[in-house]
Amino acid sequence: MVCKHLRMTIASGSVLSARHCAQAGHARNTLRWDLSPDEIRTMTDSLIARVKKVYDDVGSLNIENVSVENTLMTLANAKMDYASSHHVLAFPQYVCPSKELRSASTEADKRLSELDVEINMREDVFKRITALQNKQKDNLSAEEKRFLDRLVTLGQRKGLHLSKDIQEEIKRTSKLISELSIEFNKNLNEESKFLIFSEHELGGLAATFLSGLDKTAEGRYKVTLEYPHYYPLMKRCHNPETRRKMEMAFNSRCKEVNTAILEELIQLRAKVARLLGYGSHAEYVLEINMAKNASNVSDFLDKFHEALKPVGIKERKYILALKKRECLMKGYQFDEKINAWDLPYYMNQVEQRKFAVDKDKLIEYFPLDVVTEGLFGIYQELLGLTFTEVEQADVWHENVKLYSARDTETGEEIGQFYLDLHPREGKYGHAGCFGLQPGCGGPDGKRRLPVAAMVANFTKPRKDCPSLLQHHEVETYFHEFGHVMHEICSNTAFSEFSGTMVETDFVEVPSQMLENWVWEKEPLRRMSRHYKDGTSIPDELLDKLIASRVANTGLMNLRQVVLSKVDQSLHTSPRADTAEVFAKHCQDILGIPATPGTNMTASFSHLAGGYDGQYYSYLWSEVYSMDIFFSRFKKEGIMNPKVGKEYRRVILEAGGSVDGMDMVKTFLGRAPCQDAFFQCKGLVNSQEASM
């Protein structure tokens, strides 16, 4: 997941045209993470004042005198300053160990989000931009024209062509939306609940898992709701009551406060869309995506649902039979249905029974350091890069590492990235990539050095055991690192198009495409080694793992359809009962009821993190990513550096300076189709259809 809240705040511009960028060297900014709360407040004040002054200056220009230099590039200079500074101030709320600093960062983010709304609603500046667009028709580079057109489009989408009263209402409402979104995610980040169980209640869990848990004075185990605790328990614990309690707690996180926030956000987003003349918030956000409108998204999801429905029915029958058998054997009462707390447990059993994947054995071959070493090697070889750890780097926590990335051929530094891979109190609870500095032209005539951070929550190492990853965590690592590469390979003229600043339903394509490497033998061998004796994964275990890719494919993808449909339902309505909407789609599509009293949407961070009305993007972009992998890499060699460098140039370096569809067509040499997706998912009736 790209953290789109931070991603969206840099949707501004840089300062150089492409012709200047080619002649420039690098401009390197040293990012500081040792800021005090007072420094954060002072820097926020200073940044707001600087940006407002530039907008005042541009807004007071004589409209006949507007030019590329005094309007477009002046705004771009200010927005580059803003983009680079904002992240230093807003990012600590997700990762900083100090609650005081996290709070100061959150407040800074709220103030800067209000500034976002203000500067994007400057009608005087918008008039100068539109005047420049009318004046400059033939004297701009392709990217300069794209940038200018984008600014005009964004101004229109903010209602700057409407009456003053409507503009003010949009501005007030947009500020409240920003504030509530930040509050929603802050509540999730600060969630620290845990449950207490006896050893008997945790039956089925590995001794290595239990030894990593904290204990109460009475010797009972503390199990948090963080991913490294929650998912292993839900997949392995034999005790259905333990799983029920965990699932109930997990999907009740921040239920009261965030349900209220989300339902208010839905109403406010619908209100803004209505003021702007759109039928719904979904119609508003989709207009500038590849999908274009809610009808296309609905058709796309309905087709997937129909293709997956018979597979899902078959998988549910098999799981129900497994449950019935286990209830008879262990003396549990069989309730003749699959509950939400049953699903991960029996899906894990399907993998073990149908594919005989021994996950206890498999995890021993994926120590984090070995996975990192192998992952680095694969990405470096494929993309023509060299990574080096930066010694004594300024970081926000002792476990964080900073790396420099250079072009292997030229030796030129192209970017830097941080890795923050273990959970801790107050930290962002998911896995995500945060763009911290855009990779594009800077005000001094040199390319800015892009910087990104990958934040994850992999199991912490212990004295007697390193951090060991489940295979799905290895897949997550590859996915998020793909976003990092998208950020640091970026080489655009404007930060508006830097890195992951692409259409939302294209942003997951580069990272999803790279997930395929964790299902291929050669890459898996390169990123695995037994943590005790360094031996390779036995062929038999490797073959079973690769074959298990199609396990539970119906239910897994139907869940994605559920989440996408829930998101669309919430954002095509003026108001909604979020728990009710989620429960309805779970039952109708997945065939498994949501647990009464829970509300998964209260912890569905995507809905307050920039994917509102756009969660379908994960399925949508997977179609493209599969086509890219199977049509080029699988065909020409998954470690073929020629294809890898072409991918880096056409997809990664271009960022959003080219439409996503045009990039895919250039790389494939044809229009994309769905065939590879359905084949990869093991669906017999593969459907070749143009997107």
Side-chain angles (χ1 to χ4, degrees):
M1 174 189 175
V2 177
C3 184
K4 288 187 61 191
H5 173 64
L6 284 190
R7 186 172 87 90
M8 295 302 285
T9 63
I10 65 169
S12 48
S14 104
V15 291
L16 289 183
S17 67
R19 57 180 176 268
H20 294 139
C21 253
Q23 303 168 352
H26 287 310
R28 183 169 184 165
N29 273 11
T30 302
L31 301 181
R32 281 186 57 204
W33 304 112
D34 59 347
L35 300 171
S36 68
D38 284 342
E39 283 180 298
I40 288 177
R41 285 185 279 271
T42 301
M43 289 173 67
T44 303
D45 290 340
S46 176
L47 177 58
I48 291 171
R50 291 198 307 273
V51 172
K52 280 185 174 179
K53 183 180 186 309
V54 173
Y55 272 73
D56 288 343
D57 291 345
V58 172
S60 63
L61 284 171
N62 187 315
I63 210 155
E64 286 79 25
N65 295 335
V66 295
S67 68
V68 171
E69 292 302 323
N70 71 17
T71 303
L72 192 68
M73 295 308 175
T74 299
L75 289 173
N77 276 324
K79 290 184 173 185
M80 167 60 80
D81 174 26
Y82 176 76
S84 300
S85 303
H86 189 161
H87 298 309
V88 178
L89 299 168
F91 179 58
Q93 68 185 293
Y94 297 96
V95 295
C96 187
S98 163
K99 186 168 185 177
E100 187 182 13
L101 282 171
R102 292 198 302 272
S103 296
S105 175
T106 300
E107 288 308 309
D109 197 11
K110 286 180 181 178
R111 293 184 62 202
L112 292 171
S113 295
E114 288 183 4
L115 178 66
D116 278 339
V117 175
E118 285 184 24
I119 63 178
N120 289 329
M121 297 286 298
R122 289 286 296 258
E123 186 182 10
D124 53 350
V125 174
F126 177 68
K127 286 179 178 177
R128 271 90 190 146
I129 293 169
T130 52
L132 180 64
Q133 185 187 47
N134 293 329
K135 189 176 182 181
Q136 293 284 345
K137 291 190 181 293
D138 304 314
N139 299 324
L140 300 175
S141 70
E143 195 170 337
E144 286 169 340
K145 183 178 185 306
R146 184 178 175 87
F147 177 46
L148 182 57
D149 290 348
R150 175 69 61 86
L151 292 180
V152 172
T153 298
L154 292 177
Q156 291 169 339
R157 285 172 56 76
K158 294 296 180 184
L160 298 182
H161 58 299
L162 302 174
S163 70
K164 286 283 187 185
D165 287 348
I166 293 177
Q167 286 184 40
E168 284 302 314
E169 187 64 22
I170 290 171
K171 185 189 293 186
R172 281 195 299 271
T173 310
S174 297
K175 284 184 178 181
L176 184 53
I177 288 170
S178 293
E179 186 177 323
L180 289 171
S181 298
I182 292 168
E183 198 65 31
F184 184 100
N185 282 301
K186 179 188 176 185
N187 293 335
L188 279 178
N189 293 341
E190 298 295 337
E191 172 66 61
S192 58
K193 186 175 180 180
F194 60 87
L195 278 67
I196 296 174
F197 296 108
S198 67
E199 186 169 352
H200 173 72
E201 289 174 307
L202 297 176
L205 289 160
T208 51
F209 176 85
L210 295 177
S211 65
L213 299 176
D214 291 334
K215 288 186 177 183
T216 66
E218 297 77 28
R220 288 158 65 84
Y221 292 94
K222 293 181 180 180
V223 185
T224 73
L225 301 179
E226 292 171 349
Y227 287 3
H229 286 183
Y230 179 75
Y231 285 110
L233 185 147
M234 293 304 294
K235 289 179 179 183
R236 302 296 301 277
C237 183
H238 296 329
N239 192 315
E241 181 60 16
T242 301
R243 298 197 310 270
R244 187 194 67 79
K245 289 177 180 176
M246 280 295 288
E247 192 271 337
M248 182 92 180
F250 187 76
N251 286 319
S252 298
R253 287 173 297 160
C254 307
K255 187 180 74 170
E256 284 75 21
V257 62
N258 274 2
T259 296
I261 289 174
L262 180 58
E263 292 181 357
E264 186 174 0
L265 280 171
I266 289 163
Q267 293 183 51
L268 294 172
R269 289 165 179 162
K271 176 183 176 181
V272 170
R274 190 167 59 251
L275 289 169
L276 289 167
Y278 293 87
S280 68
H281 178 69
E283 292 290 355
Y284 170 70
V285 295
L286 294 172
E287 182 183 52
I288 56 173
N289 278 4
M290 296 173 81
K292 300 304 180 190
N293 58 59
S295 176
N296 287 341
V297 173
S298 181
D299 289 347
F300 171 79
L301 294 172
D302 286 344
K303 285 177 184 175
F304 265 71
H305 183 201
E306 287 305 308
L308 294 164
K309 188 188 292 184
V311 187
I313 291 170
K314 186 178 178 182
E315 290 175 357
R316 283 199 303 273
K317 284 181 179 177
Y318 186 78
I319 283 176
L320 203 56
L322 286 179
K323 180 177 177 179
K324 183 177 182 180
R325 181 174 179 272
E326 182 167 0
C327 286
L328 286 171
M329 288 178 62
K330 296 189 175 179
Y332 298 138
Q333 184 177 354
F334 179 53
D335 57 8
E336 300 185 359
K337 63 181 180 179
I338 303 169
N339 301 296
W341 58 87
D342 294 323
L343 194 57
Y345 177 73
Y346 289 105
M347 285 172 72
N348 186 61
Q349 284 201 20
V350 169
E351 288 185 48
Q352 292 176 336
R353 287 174 176 272
K354 285 194 171 183
F355 302 95
V357 178
D358 185 344
K359 292 195 173 181
D360 285 340
K361 191 65 180 170
L362 190 63
I363 194 174
E364 296 177 359
Y365 290 93
F366 289 117
L368 179 59
D369 289 348
V370 173
V371 173
T372 301
E373 178 189 336
L375 177 147
F376 276 16
I378 290 165
Y379 272 92
Q380 289 174 108
E381 183 178 328
L382 201 61
L383 301 178
L385 301 174
T386 302
F387 304 149
T388 308
E389 185 176 351
V390 177
E391 300 295 335
Q392 298 181 320
D394 180 18
V395 293
W396 52 87
H397 188 270
E398 60 184 3
N399 291 338
V400 177
K401 293 183 178 180
L402 174 64
Y403 295 87
S404 167
R406 295 183 180 275
D407 182 275
T408 304
E409 200 171 301
T410 65
E412 180 182 27
E413 186 173 34
I414 67 154
Q416 294 186 341
F417 60 89
Y418 297 89
L419 294 183
D420 184 355
L421 304 180
H422 300 297
R424 57 180 175 271
E425 186 179 349
K427 181 184 166 184
Y428 179 73
H430 304 277
C433 171
F434 295 75
L436 301 178
Q437 184 164 285
C440 56
D444 53 2
K446 298 178 181 179
R447 175 179 176 262
R448 285 285 176 127
L449 195 72
V451 182
M454 179 184 159
V455 178
N457 287 277
F458 301 139
T459 306
K460 294 178 183 177
R462 304 190 304 276
K463 285 182 181 180
D464 59 337
C465 187
S467 173
L468 298 175
L469 303 189
Q470 298 279 358
H471 179 259
H472 74 86
E473 292 178 306
V474 178
E475 188 175 43
T476 296
Y477 199 165
F478 248 74
H479 176 99
E480 298 304 340
F481 200 75
H483 285 311
V484 171
M485 292 298 98
H486 201 178
E487 291 283 358
I488 71 165
C489 288
S490 174
N491 190 9
T492 61
F494 298 99
S495 64
E496 176 77 13
F497 310 124
S498 176
T500 58
M501 297 300 296
V502 297
E503 300 102 316
T504 300
D505 48 10
F506 186 77
V507 73
E508 299 296 336
V509 170
S511 49
Q512 283 180 332
M513 197 281 293
L514 288 154
E515 289 179 23
N516 287 287
W517 270 254
V518 309
W519 294 101
E520 298 283 335
K521 263 193 176 181
E522 182 186 348
L524 282 168
R525 288 205 181 284
R526 290 178 62 167
M527 66 180 92
S528 62
R529 199 162 56 240
H530 198 279
Y531 80 99
K532 287 183 178 177
D533 56 22
T535 53
S536 300
I537 301 181
D539 275 338
E540 183 187 11
L541 187 55
L542 203 53
D543 290 339
K544 288 174 179 176
L545 170 65
I546 293 169
S548 74
R549 186 174 194 178
V550 298
N552 304 301
T553 189
L555 292 173
M556 287 173 67
N557 285 284
L558 281 170
R559 177 167 168 76
Q560 286 298 92
V561 173
V562 167
L563 297 178
S564 301
K565 283 279 193 180
V566 166
D567 175 37
Q568 287 296 301
S569 176
L570 297 179
H571 290 109
T572 51
S573 306
R575 61 183 53 80
D577 180 327
T578 53
E580 183 181 302
V581 169
F582 180 74
K584 179 182 185 302
H585 284 86
C586 273
Q587 187 63 62
D588 292 351
I589 297 170
L590 198 59
I592 296 168
T595 303
T598 65
N599 185 10
M600 177 271 174
T601 65
S603 56
F604 192 3
S605 59
H606 292 77
L607 300 184
Y611 282 79
D612 40 290
Q614 302 166 93
Y615 190 81
Y616 75 93
S617 300
Y618 283 92
L619 272 176
W620 178 280
S621 59
E622 197 173 358
V623 171
Y624 297 100
S625 68
M626 291 299 182
D627 202 4
I628 289 170
F629 176 73
F630 284 97
S631 300
R632 291 297 311 273
F633 287 98
K634 188 74 171 174
K635 188 175 179 181
E636 299 175 48
I638 59 170
M639 292 307 301
N640 186 329
K642 180 177 177 294
V643 183
K645 286 178 184 176
E646 184 184 347
Y647 182 74
R648 174 181 158 189
R649 176 178 58 81
V650 174
I651 306 289
L652 301 183
E653 289 182 2
S657 64
V658 180
D659 285 348
M661 180 61 80
D662 292 338
M663 281 188 271
V664 174
K665 285 179 178 177
T666 299
F667 190 71
L668 292 176
R670 58 163 172 79
C673 69
Q674 294 184 354
D675 196 46
F677 175 88
F678 282 102
Q679 287 181 0
C680 176
K681 298 298 180 185
L683 299 171
V684 179
N685 298 320
S686 66
Q687 302 178 9
E688 187 161 0
S690 178
M691 285 292 292

